Amino acid sequence: MLSEDQRQGLKAEATSWCYPKTRGKASKLRPPLGAARRPADFACAVASRYGRDMRETRALLNRALAGMGTTIFAEMSALAVETGSVNLGQGFPDIDGPAEIAQAAADAVLAGRGNQYPPGPGIPELRQAIAAHQKRFYGIEVDPDAEVLVTAGATEAVAAAMLALLEPGDEVIAFEPYYDSYAACIAMAGATRVPVTLRAPAFRPDLDALRDAVTDRTRLILLNSPHNPTGMVLTQAELQAIATLAIERDLLVVTDEVYEHIVFDGEHIPIVTLPGMRERTVSISSAGKTFSFTGWKIGWATGSPELIAAVKTAKQFLTFVNGGPFQYAIATGLALPDSFYAELAARLQRRRDLLAAGLQEAGLDVFIPAGTYFITTDIRPLGESDGLAFCRSLPARCGVVAVPNVVFYDNQDAGRSQVRFAFCKRDEVLADAAGRLRQLRS
Ligand SMILES: Cc1ncc(COP(=O)(O)O)c(C=O)c1O
């Protein structure tokens, strides 16, 4: 234990080389022996030392990530806490998933299953459960040993797929608005994103624009259906057109299907089920949305042995593995009967309708989603057009937090007046939010 005097002495010493510009000469940059024994002091010294040096040469942040500061979710969630608002911004459920899945995680921890590094591709029980899920819902046969990779959420699966499959100079086509990690992952792989805009009110893909967007540099199409934030679900005909284009132009397809079980109108069809797509598709999903355990970050990628081997090569150097005991628990979850999945969709459909009615009453234009747990709206009927300003002012105006869709667009004009609300919340929370939003009319 350090005495108070020793602590003060160390603090003074550390401070003297933390701020060399004002406190001393260059030699002071080196930490004096005995100083910085505490990690916090050392971090302070390193940060300010390199911060000072690097400002004189080049920016600290890799230029591929320039401009990608804090995500809008962090900003808006902080605002929700600060103002005590109902948070319909970030897409996480306000009730945990089934007790038997939570119990399975606790049992695994206590029984010592998964507490040490699990196998790199994921525990066999989970890989088998994922394969069984693909067979049960879509009739897809996947080999749990060669064609399934467990990841740290869908987020890591997308990142690993981009890092594995792209090279600098490659182009990736994605429908915008898109989930914010896509742009960052494409950039980190040194590739270029090419957006094709989904337009209100239906947000259906413009298949001619998609075809026109393909160049000799196009490497892959990054799909998301059911689609966040618009709630659009790709139809069989649209998927067929995308598949035909991918085959014709020899493109890979990476498809993010995390909302596969949250569909209200139409059905979710994995593009990998279409002829000729098996060898060119990486399908991604995760447990977060389906089982309401978004914090566990258990996701997966499935695809041909060659594609999965490539994605695994990148993934092993990102997290290597994660969430050992949670992997056992999600294997239990995936085995739940069809009724669990049907009830999930029915419950969320009821909540969609509840919030949609509230938003309509508040005077917004509401685009009813066919899937996901988000509703996109347009604020122009309220006489406003700047979604970002609207979202920043909404907590003070009526105690609700939402997210501006403009942050998901490259073509900002297309999304400037759109605002997204999440409805993965309890009925009473949604009813409360609807009541608060009514104040917008007054
Ligand atoms: C489209 C989409 N993909 C991926 C994710 C992240 O999934 P995970 O939490 O499994 O990493 C989200 C979460 O909001 C999402 O909306």
Side-chain angles (χ1 to χ4, degrees):
M1 272 295 268
L2 292 175
S3 70
E4 187 51 32
D5 280 356
Q6 283 171 316
R7 201 171 289 125
Q8 289 305 329
L10 269 183
K11 200 168 155 196
E13 223 174 349
T15 313
S16 72
W17 53 267
C18 269
Y19 302 102
K21 263 193 165 163
T22 54
R23 296 247 176 180
K25 299 194 209 82
S27 61
K28 281 275 178 105
L29 279 172
R30 181 166 302 158
L33 278 179
R37 286 201 189 96
R38 291 173 298 163
D41 290 341
F42 189 65
C44 162
V46 168
S48 69
R49 201 184 141 193
Y50 286 98
R52 192 191 79 116
D53 289 347
M54 297 306 287
R55 265 199 303 278
E56 286 158 13
T57 50
R58 67 175 226 207
L60 280 174
L61 182 65
N62 182 327
R63 76 190 69 172
L65 295 174
M68 295 182 189
T70 312
T71 74
I72 192 70
F73 306 109
E75 181 188 338
M76 290 301 161
S77 288
L79 202 55
V81 172
E82 227 172 81
T83 58
S85 295
V86 179
N87 188 357
L88 303 186
Q90 207 167 3
F92 59 86
D94 60 357
I95 291 200
D96 289 347
E100 63 259 54
I101 302 182
Q103 187 64 54
D107 290 347
V109 170
L110 293 174
R113 287 184 298 144
N115 291 334
Q116 309 306 329
Y117 297 132
I123 60 164
E125 290 85 342
L126 179 55
R127 284 184 278 119
Q128 281 153 13
I130 293 164
H133 169 277
Q134 296 303 90
K135 173 94 175 126
R136 167 160 53 138
F137 289 100
Y138 310 117
I140 309 168
E141 299 274 0
V142 296
D143 174 355
D145 292 327
E147 298 185 311
V148 180
L149 176 66
V150 176
T151 57
T155 307
E156 189 197 30
V158 170
M162 295 304 118
L163 292 170
L165 303 174
L166 297 174
E167 295 204 351
D170 285 343
E171 292 177 357
V172 176
I173 301 177
F175 291 115
E176 68 169 0
Y178 35 58
Y179 183 60
D180 62 347
S181 84
Y182 298 172
C185 292
I186 295 166
M188 286 192 280
T192 304
R193 63 183 184 272
V194 176
V196 173
T197 307
L198 301 172
R199 294 183 189 279
F203 299 107
R204 302 257 52 103
D206 179 339
L207 297 168
D208 292 330
L210 177 66
R211 184 167 281 276
D212 290 347
V214 178
T215 72
D216 292 344
R217 289 185 299 280
T218 308
R219 169 69 161 165
L220 64 83
I221 301 175
L222 177 51
L223 289 181
N224 170 217
S225 179
H227 182 260
N228 174 12
T230 66
M232 179 273 294
V233 177
L234 290 169
T235 64
Q236 168 97 34
E238 288 161 348
L239 289 163
Q240 186 56 65
I242 296 167
T244 302
L245 181 63
I247 293 165
E248 239 175 67
R249 301 298 299 265
D250 197 21
L251 307 177
L252 298 172
V253 171
V254 174
T255 167
D256 174 347
E257 304 181 357
V258 296
Y259 299 100
E260 61 185 316
H261 290 293
I262 308 178
V263 176
F264 320 118
D265 309 314
E267 62 173 325
H268 172 63
I269 303 169
I271 195 167
V272 72
T273 58
L274 302 186
M277 292 308 289
R278 189 71 192 248
E279 57 271 35
R280 64 182 68 249
T281 304
V282 176
S283 304
I284 291 172
S285 192
S286 84
K289 315 295 174 180
T290 300
F291 298 113
S292 302
F293 287 113
T294 56
W296 291 7
K297 298 297 280 189
I298 301 297
W300 51 85
T302 53
S304 69
E306 296 75 17
L307 283 168
I308 289 304
V311 177
K312 189 164 44 180
T313 303
K315 181 261 180 315
Q316 68 189 335
F317 299 117
L318 294 174
T319 57
F320 177 46
V321 291
N322 77 296
F326 298 132
Q327 293 193 21
Y328 286 95
I330 295 305
T332 309
L334 285 167
L336 287 174
D338 292 358
S339 56
F340 164 79
Y341 296 89
E343 279 159 26
L344 170 76
R347 190 168 59 244
L348 284 165
Q349 181 162 357
R350 198 184 63 241
R351 291 179 176 165
R352 172 194 72 171
D353 296 342
L354 188 64
L355 183 63
L359 291 165
Q360 270 155 353
E361 246 182 80
L364 293 121
D365 238 349
V366 177
F367 308 117
I368 302 291
T372 77
Y373 44 52
F374 303 108
I375 294 181
T376 282
T377 62
D378 197 307
I379 59 173
R380 281 176 294 187
L382 296 175
E384 302 179 47
S385 57
D386 182 343
L388 184 57
F390 177 85
C391 288
R392 287 191 168 134
S393 71
L394 200 57
R397 286 164 74 181
C398 65
V400 174
V401 160
V403 164
N405 277 15
V406 70
V407 300
F408 307 128
Y409 283 89
D410 280 316
N411 171 13
Q412 306 235 319
D413 285 339
R416 204 173 297 286
S417 57
Q418 292 170 15
V419 171
R420 189 195 81 174
F421 295 82
F423 55 86
C424 45
K425 311 290 172 183
R426 281 164 295 150
D427 291 2
E428 58 271 31
V429 172
L430 296 173
D432 179 18
R436 293 168 181 235
L437 286 162
R438 241 176 258 128
Q439 297 170 46
L440 289 174
R441 295 216 100 154
S442 47

